[in-house]
Amino acid sequence: MPPTIVHVAVQTPAHSGVGDLLSYASAQPLPPGTLVRVPLGQREVLGVVWDALDAPGELPEGAAMRPVAGVLEGLAPLDAPWRRLVAFAARYYQRALGEVALAALPPQLRDLRPEQLARRLRRPAAAADATVATQNIALTAEQESARARIALEPGPFLLFGSTGSGKTEVYLRCVQKALAADPAAQALVMVPEINLTPQLEARFTARFGAQAVVSLHSGMTNPQRLKSWLAAHSGAARIVLGTRMAVFASLPGLRIIVVDEEHDPSYKQQEGARYSARDLAVWRGREQGAKVILGSATPSLESWHASDPAVGRYVRLEMPSRIGAGSLARVRRVDMNQQPRRTVFSAPLLAAITERVQRGEQSMVLLNRRGYAPVLHCADCGWKSDCPHCSAHQVFHKTDRTLRCHHCGYTVRVPRACPACGSPDIHSMGRGTEQLEEQLATLLSEVLRPDRTPARVARIDADTTRAKGALEAQLAQVHAGEVDVLVGTQMIAKGHDFRRITLVAAVQPDGALFSSDFRAPERLFALLMQAAGRAGRDAAYMAAQGTQCEMWVQSFHPQHAVYEALRSHDYPAFAARQLQEREEAAMPPFAYQALVRADARTQEAAQGFLAAATAAAHAAGLPGLADGAVILFPPVPLAIQRVANVERAQMLLESGSRAALQRFLAAWQPVLQATRGAPEHKGLVRWLVDVDPQAI
């Protein structure tokens, strides 16, 4: 029997000019979705046999083609809905098909020898029960209404529920109904960050059993990811919990998708294929006929607009009340203009924290900047701890006496004297969470808890949670009441169910009020609302204590509209004002954007490439330019224009039509590639397209 042609998606370098599919000879026909090993240059790589209905299935007479090296025996082919998802993501986000397809697979699949894979597949996977038992938890009227509508209507749904309103229980009930209706059904539940996975996994495991639930996120080891992926792909796992990467999980029985904290920018990938997992989840649900639930107390303005009845893309469900008739935090604003200069903790805030400690309650202090201080400087000559490789300062970390760049990772010991003039008079400027922890420990050193022991201050941020299991251990201490005041970055402000926190304070939130990014007010409001939601979550405890939960905001602009909306917990009013401003300025969601970024050895080379590609687009008469459907803005440096000795520039594209922007980008890809190959652009390191960017 003559060999046949199979078309395979493989991982090729971004913008390499290599086609999406490479052709190989196979001794027998292979169905689309089959995982294979194929030669690529001098290497043997993993690939996915792809659909190519318009291509010949047999080799022309006398033609030679490299053969498929091997088939991953025992694995069912990746199904057509999965391949359509990958193809759509590659097309929409302007990346190579093989890049997206292979990035969606567990890395260990690429390295396992056939006998190793066979051993993996021989291990019996314990299947979950086809039905699950309902726990005896009574739903509130709001929860029951949301659950019933999700059961009866197609969606997608935006579940707009205040913090502590019981959104997770609604997710559990909806997943339970989907799994009970079909023994082969599967569910995908997504969270924005790894640190939220253990808490949600515990809830789902308690309800459905450990065998039914697997996790998928980048914090897992390669063997762990492979095990979870195989369980999902085979159907043995009924529920997959994960971060944004889980949107590409192979789930042949997918019937329901939950995207918790759907507003969170962490759902947008910031490297490689810059996809939005939230948006892909909505697309995947619609394409596969799966229910999609987006949940948040502070929805993204895009989702809020889509759930407007006049727009009608999503069904909006509202749960404004907290479980147990608990009240939302009372917002108290401190005008820092009236405080002594250089005050970190105002006297009223410090008194409130002290009172909570003495009553045996917990407080949380939020500062979205880790390290001890953002910069060191010399009082004599003005030297600052600039990173030699980036347009940024090195952050002072007092614990290990280092200066560390949070962009490129370059680290040095703190100098004993100024490197520029030799003066020993070096001081820190600004504050990070490490300094707040130290200052609070000093200020509260004589404050006693009800058991007459000293107050205990702890910190949770990226620096204290690097070791495996560190985050879980620290959170367990908070839940056990072993911490009185918790200091941290935004990683502690969302999703966590702290039962004894009654006061939350944001000490320096003003920086986001005047950012050049038009999304900054939306993100600040969401962060503060989510942080406020950590307080007073145990209504019975609050009632027994006879106390009121509070959110303190220290600001030099206490009357700003963001803080006014926060004071009344009025997200709809805040969203209405923001959407009006966005519409007047023709900003998303009323327009569509893309960024094209260039990295080069010099800023002139980076901007020169973008300018040349723009000129070439006009010269070629690409669609959307002549009629103004697509607007190309001039290239500019990024806010941090140099990282790791690479200069970065970007240009913004805008259009009132998503389709027009997509047509232009697709036509511009070969122009960009051709411009990249010109001799005058040898200084270019890379270029990339970011569709629907979340940071400008």
Side-chain angles (χ1 to χ4, degrees):
M1 180 178 178
T4 59
I5 297 175
V6 292
H7 306 278
V8 181
V10 297
Q11 177 84 57
T12 54
H15 312 304
S16 63
V18 177
D20 274 345
L21 300 175
L22 301 182
S23 299
Y24 294 88
S26 174
Q28 69 272 347
L30 296 174
T34 301
L35 288 164
V36 294
R37 290 188 179 86
V38 294
L40 183 65
Q42 301 300 311
R43 300 176 296 138
E44 188 175 286
V45 299
L46 184 68
V48 184
V49 176
W50 216 262
D51 314 74
L53 300 179
D54 57 345
E58 295 185 3
L59 285 171
E61 187 175 352
M65 190 173 291
R66 300 183 79 178
V68 170
V71 177
L72 272 65
E73 301 288 351
L75 278 179
L78 293 155
D79 62 16
W82 185 89
R83 299 196 303 277
R84 289 195 293 269
L85 171 69
V86 168
F88 170 78
R91 183 172 64 252
Y92 185 82
Y93 293 105
Q94 304 293 313
R95 305 298 292 194
L97 178 67
E99 177 190 9
V100 177
L102 272 297
L105 299 176
Q108 202 172 23
L109 270 181
R110 309 172 196 179
D111 305 321
L112 287 181
R113 297 189 303 274
E115 61 274 15
Q116 292 175 316
L117 178 60
R119 282 200 301 271
R120 286 269 187 176
L121 295 173
R122 280 198 300 269
R123 295 173 186 169
D129 293 337
T131 59
V132 289
T134 306
Q135 289 189 353
N136 188 24
I137 299 175
L139 298 182
T140 66
E142 292 173 0
Q143 287 176 310
E144 177 56 32
S145 174
R147 185 209 62 77
R149 290 193 63 185
I150 293 170
L152 294 174
E153 301 177 36
F157 302 93
L158 176 64
L159 183 57
F160 170 48
S162 69
T163 53
S165 62
K167 294 186 291 294
T168 303
E169 183 61 33
V170 175
Y171 303 155
L172 287 161
R173 294 295 180 94
C174 293
V175 168
Q176 177 182 316
K177 180 175 176 60
L179 299 192
D182 180 356
Q186 293 175 295
L188 172 62
V189 182
M190 296 170 59
V191 292
E193 295 183 6
I194 294 172
N195 68 76
L196 298 177
T197 308
Q199 177 176 286
L200 198 63
E201 185 174 13
R203 291 283 300 273
F204 273 82
T205 298
R207 184 68 56 93
F208 298 100
Q211 301 298 339
V213 183
V214 298
S215 293
L216 270 178
H217 55 75
S218 59
M220 302 170 70
T221 65
N222 284 345
Q224 289 171 334
R225 281 177 62 179
L226 178 61
K227 181 179 179 181
S228 292
W229 186 88
L230 289 172
H233 178 64
S234 67
R238 305 293 304 281
I239 301 167
V240 171
L241 301 179
T243 51
R244 61 177 176 264
M245 66 183 301
V247 76
F248 289 111
S250 174
L251 292 159
L254 184 62
R255 295 294 179 270
I256 185 169
I257 303 174
V258 174
V259 184
D260 193 25
E261 309 291 0
E262 68 85 31
H263 67 279
D264 199 292
S266 297
Y267 281 119
K268 185 68 156 66
Q269 172 76 7
Q270 294 300 328
E271 296 177 356
R274 300 192 168 204
Y275 62 87
S276 165
R278 177 197 65 203
D279 296 347
L280 285 180
V282 174
W283 189 93
R284 186 176 188 181
R286 182 175 62 245
E287 207 272 339
Q288 288 190 238
K291 301 264 188 183
V292 178
I293 307 170
L294 311 177
S296 178
T298 54
S300 65
L301 290 181
E302 287 83 359
S303 296
W304 186 255
H305 176 66
S307 69
D308 186 325
V311 177
R313 286 179 50 219
Y314 299 167
V315 177
R316 185 185 299 171
L317 308 173
E318 300 192 16
M319 298 194 330
S321 305
R322 277 190 148 183
I323 295 293
S327 60
L328 294 170
R330 174 190 177 193
V331 177
R332 304 189 62 172
R333 294 171 288 180
V334 178
D335 187 348
M336 297 303 287
N337 297 293
Q338 307 300 318
Q339 299 294 317
R341 191 166 176 263
R342 298 185 181 277
T343 295
V344 181
F345 294 97
S346 62
L349 173 58
L350 187 59
I353 293 175
T354 298
E355 181 184 345
R356 305 282 168 161
V357 173
Q358 292 171 336
R359 290 208 304 256
E361 299 170 12
Q362 294 174 313
S363 300
M364 187 173 85
V365 178
L366 175 68
L367 177 63
N368 210 21
R369 184 187 296 126
R370 61 189 174 97
Y372 190 85
V375 61
L376 290 184
H377 98 296
C378 174
D380 290 342
C381 73
W383 168 87
K384 290 186 175 70
S385 56
D386 294 331
C387 175
H389 309 297
C390 305
S391 303
H393 300 306
Q394 285 186 286
V395 176
F396 173 37
H397 290 257
K398 188 176 180 180
T399 302
D400 58 3
R401 300 293 299 175
T402 62
L403 293 173
R404 200 180 306 159
C405 178
H406 290 175
H407 299 280
C408 73
Y410 180 72
T411 302
V412 295
R413 300 290 298 173
V414 173
R416 295 182 179 276
C418 173
C421 71
S423 169
D425 196 9
I426 301 178
H427 300 284
S428 61
M429 296 177 63
R431 296 171 182 85
T433 49
E434 191 179 330
Q435 187 173 163
L436 286 193
E437 178 192 22
E438 178 183 278
Q439 291 180 335
L440 264 179
T442 300
L443 291 168
L444 301 176
S445 60
E446 297 183 4
V447 177
L448 300 181
R449 295 157 36 88
D451 61 4
R452 311 306 295 169
T453 58
R456 295 167 293 190
V457 180
R459 169 169 54 98
I460 294 181
D461 57 26
D463 295 319
T464 66
T465 57
R466 287 179 178 173
K468 184 175 178 59
L471 176 62
E472 290 81 358
Q474 289 173 297
L475 290 175
Q477 288 181 323
V478 179
H479 291 303
E482 298 172 10
V483 173
D484 301 301
V485 183
L486 176 63
V487 177
T489 55
Q490 64 176 354
M491 68 188 297
I492 66 171
K494 48 195 175 186
H496 297 292
D497 190 18
F498 298 125
R499 308 301 292 176
R500 292 294 183 268
I501 285 181
T502 60
L503 182 149
V504 173
V507 293
Q508 293 179 346
D510 286 350
L513 294 178
F514 308 104
S515 168
S516 59
D517 190 338
F518 68 90
R519 286 189 172 89
E522 175 188 0
R523 288 186 178 154
L524 175 61
F525 182 79
L527 177 61
L528 295 179
M529 281 279 285
Q530 293 288 332
R534 298 316 105 203
R537 297 179 70 86
D538 190 333
Y541 174 80
M542 298 296 293
Q545 294 289 102
T547 189
Q548 167 72 50
C549 57
E550 293 179 337
M551 170 73 181
W552 287 69
V553 178
Q554 295 188 156
S555 171
F556 289 97
H557 308 276
Q559 304 306 317
H560 193 281
V562 169
Y563 301 138
E564 286 288 342
L566 178 70
R567 182 181 63 83
S568 55
H569 298 276
D570 195 348
Y571 172 82
F574 171 80
R577 283 194 297 270
Q578 287 289 304
L579 286 171
Q580 181 180 356
E581 293 177 9
R582 299 260 189 107
E583 187 170 21
E584 292 170 354
M587 293 285 191
F590 303 99
Y592 305 94
Q593 296 180 330
L595 284 175
V596 179
R597 200 179 92 189
D599 296 352
R601 297 303 176 192
T602 65
Q603 186 63 214
E604 293 75 17
Q607 293 194 37
F609 167 76
L610 295 175
T614 300
H618 283 284
L622 296 188
L625 295 182
D627 59 3
V630 178
I631 299 173
L632 278 60
F633 291 88
V636 295
L638 269 72
I640 300 177
Q641 69 180 55
R642 189 175 85 258
V643 171
N645 292 323
V646 174
E647 293 283 339
R648 309 185 303 167
Q650 66 183 14
M651 59 181 296
L652 178 67
L653 289 69
E654 282 189 349
S655 177
S657 164
R658 190 193 301 271
L661 182 60
Q662 281 289 315
R663 282 194 297 271
F664 173 79
L665 289 172
W668 203 22
Q669 279 278 357
V671 176
L672 284 161
Q673 187 64 39
T675 305
R676 168 72 173 91
E680 60 267 31
H681 299 302
K682 287 184 177 179
L684 185 71
V685 175
R686 68 184 71 87
W687 60 274
L688 61 87
V689 178
D690 186 356
V691 181
D692 302 333
Q694 292 298 298
I696 297 179

